[in-house]
Amino acid sequence: MKIRNRMADVVELRCHICQSFLKMIVCEDWRQELYRFTQEKIKGPYKDNYIEQHKIMRKKGIENYSIDDMDVPFIANILCFCPQIAKVSKNTSKALSYVKEDRHETNHSSENEPEEELYLRALISLRDLQGLLHTIDLNEIEIPDEQRSQFVMEYSKDIENLKLEIYNDCIEMFQIKKDIQLIISSDNQDDTFFRIFQSYNDKSCLSDENKEQMSRFLIEASNRGVRSAHKYAAIIYLHLYHDLEEATHRYEMMIANEEKLSASEAHELIDFINYMYMKGKQPTDRMMQFVKLIKEQGFNIEETSQGIIWKKRK
């Protein structure tokens, strides 16, 4: 799912913004002070918020520990509860709390959320990051103006670029969903599928992005039960993602209703099994069920030690 990559981009940007901000305001001899602060906190009721960073300090040695080792919750805790290291305004602390909560939501994804929900989360996170930049610019005036301005401009540009990518992803997602709904509601699903598929295929030669879009369309169509899409989804999983298990599953979806196989579908299944032989892998029992079905449907094939061959009819 494309949004998973976008969420990773949001996570990385969030971390970089918080780290860069702390670097601008942290006191000169912060390491030993931070170590004492963390040592105290791991003995208290909120020790779980500090243990992981304490482990890193111990592993690397406090003199080798850097702000780049810190995650967003730890930075937020420093800025909110350790003013002797870095002091911020109440408004900045509040803006940081939103960013910290966004990070918590991101890291506790169930992996089963609808795409729409994940895109919304990403956009909310970017909104809160932009709010943090604005708050820092207005309130942290002890940071030199030129340095503060550069910080805000650099990361505002990154936020806007990522936001634009997400908006474009959303447009693509809704277009794919619309196309698949047209197929499902059509009186002739096969004809409608191949007509729409052709439009994606025509664009796929224009760029790698268009090729990825076609792959997403085919996989989503297969997910929604469009039979004509299953073999294409299988090919994608086999040759693009090298996911043999999922490729096998997609071929099983293709034959699930025990419909009459077309000649091209029978050839596709045999090519899949022969691909396993070519790679030096023994076809599984599930794959050999494909052979059984092809024989039962009257296709003239023969099993050999090196693969499946098509026999000439006498």
Side-chain angles (χ1 to χ4, degrees):
M1 191 186 295
K2 195 174 184 180
I3 181 56
R4 302 287 176 192
N5 296 329
R6 298 298 184 215
M7 292 299 287
D9 293 338
V10 171
V11 168
E12 183 178 8
L13 180 58
R14 181 192 295 130
C15 192
H16 287 168
I17 288 174
C18 291
Q19 289 170 342
S20 296
F21 174 49
L22 181 57
K23 288 174 183 177
M24 290 193 296
I25 63 172
V26 72
C27 68
E28 190 171 334
D29 300 321
W30 61 271
R31 286 181 175 82
Q32 291 299 329
E33 188 62 45
L34 179 61
Y35 187 67
R36 285 192 289 272
F37 170 76
T38 308
Q39 285 277 70
E40 292 176 5
K41 289 296 183 180
I42 63 172
K43 300 173 186 175
Y46 302 106
K47 62 183 180 182
D48 289 346
N49 296 334
Y50 300 90
I51 285 177
E52 287 305 314
Q53 288 295 313
H54 183 260
K55 287 179 181 177
I56 297 173
M57 293 177 193
R58 299 285 287 184
K59 182 178 180 179
K60 299 185 71 170
I62 191 60
E63 293 305 323
N64 298 316
Y65 180 76
S66 74
I67 291 173
D68 291 335
D69 293 316
M70 300 179 188
D71 57 21
V72 170
F74 189 63
I75 292 172
N77 287 336
I78 291 172
L79 296 175
C80 293
F81 306 119
C82 194
Q84 61 269 37
I85 294 175
K87 190 173 182 179
V88 297
S89 69
K90 289 184 178 178
N91 287 337
T92 300
S93 289
K94 186 174 181 180
L96 274 166
S97 70
Y98 295 140
V99 171
K100 181 180 177 181
E101 183 59 30
D102 291 338
R103 191 264 188 187
H104 177 79
E105 288 289 330
T106 302
N107 281 27
H108 287 78
S109 167
S110 69
E111 301 291 328
N112 293 317
E113 298 92 343
E115 286 181 296
E116 293 87 345
E117 180 180 336
L118 293 176
Y119 278 117
L120 180 59
R121 280 191 197 176
L123 290 170
I124 289 172
S125 294
L126 293 177
R127 178 203 64 189
D128 290 341
L129 283 173
Q130 190 64 63
L132 175 62
L133 295 182
H134 180 67
T135 303
I136 290 170
D137 197 27
L138 288 179
N139 293 272
E140 305 306 323
I141 56 176
E142 292 184 4
I143 302 171
D145 185 73
E146 185 177 347
Q147 185 182 10
R148 202 169 69 249
S149 175
Q150 183 62 33
F151 169 76
V152 172
M153 283 193 298
E154 177 185 345
Y155 285 113
S156 291
K157 182 179 179 181
D158 290 342
I159 289 170
E160 287 304 313
N161 288 341
L162 187 49
K163 192 186 297 183
L164 180 60
E165 290 178 355
I166 290 172
Y167 281 143
N168 289 336
D169 289 350
C170 287
I171 292 170
E172 176 192 301
M173 175 189 70
F174 285 116
Q175 182 61 54
I176 287 174
K177 288 182 181 292
K178 179 182 176 182
D179 288 339
I180 292 171
Q181 191 55 44
L182 280 174
I183 296 168
I184 291 173
S185 60
S186 172
D187 292 334
N188 192 328
Q189 286 195 9
D190 284 348
D191 284 353
T192 307
F193 167 78
F194 284 110
R195 176 173 54 80
I196 293 174
F197 173 37
Q198 188 60 52
S199 69
Y200 281 93
N201 194 39
D202 289 344
K203 291 187 293 183
S204 70
C205 63
L206 300 177
S207 69
D208 289 341
E209 178 62 28
N210 289 124
K211 289 179 183 177
E212 292 174 7
Q213 184 181 26
M214 182 178 71
S215 295
R216 286 190 288 274
F217 161 71
L218 291 168
I219 289 173
E220 184 59 26
S222 176
N223 290 343
R224 294 289 304 277
V226 178
R227 185 179 183 277
S228 297
H230 294 325
K231 74 172 183 178
Y232 297 102
I235 293 169
I236 291 167
Y237 277 111
L238 182 63
H239 297 292
L240 185 60
Y241 301 135
H242 308 292
D243 188 337
L244 177 60
E245 179 67 24
E246 189 61 35
T248 304
H249 175 59
R250 298 292 166 156
Y251 282 125
E252 287 174 333
M253 291 169 70
M254 184 178 77
I255 65 174
N257 296 326
E258 297 185 354
E259 296 181 29
K260 176 67 177 176
L261 294 174
S262 66
S264 65
E265 288 172 339
H267 275 87
E268 185 64 46
L269 288 170
I270 295 303
D271 287 346
F272 174 51
I273 294 170
N274 285 338
Y275 176 80
M276 293 297 101
Y277 280 110
M278 184 181 70
K279 291 292 184 180
K281 297 180 180 180
Q282 195 67 24
T284 64
D285 291 341
R286 291 163 65 195
M287 294 178 197
M288 296 312 294
Q289 287 297 316
F290 300 157
V291 176
K292 180 182 177 183
L293 178 65
I294 292 168
K295 286 181 175 179
E296 289 175 349
Q297 294 200 2
F299 292 100
N300 203 20
I301 60 174
E302 180 180 348
E303 299 173 50
T304 73
S305 60
Q306 297 179 328
I308 312 297
I309 61 173
W310 293 88
K311 294 169 63 178
K312 294 182 179 180
R313 295 186 181 276
K314 296 179 180 180

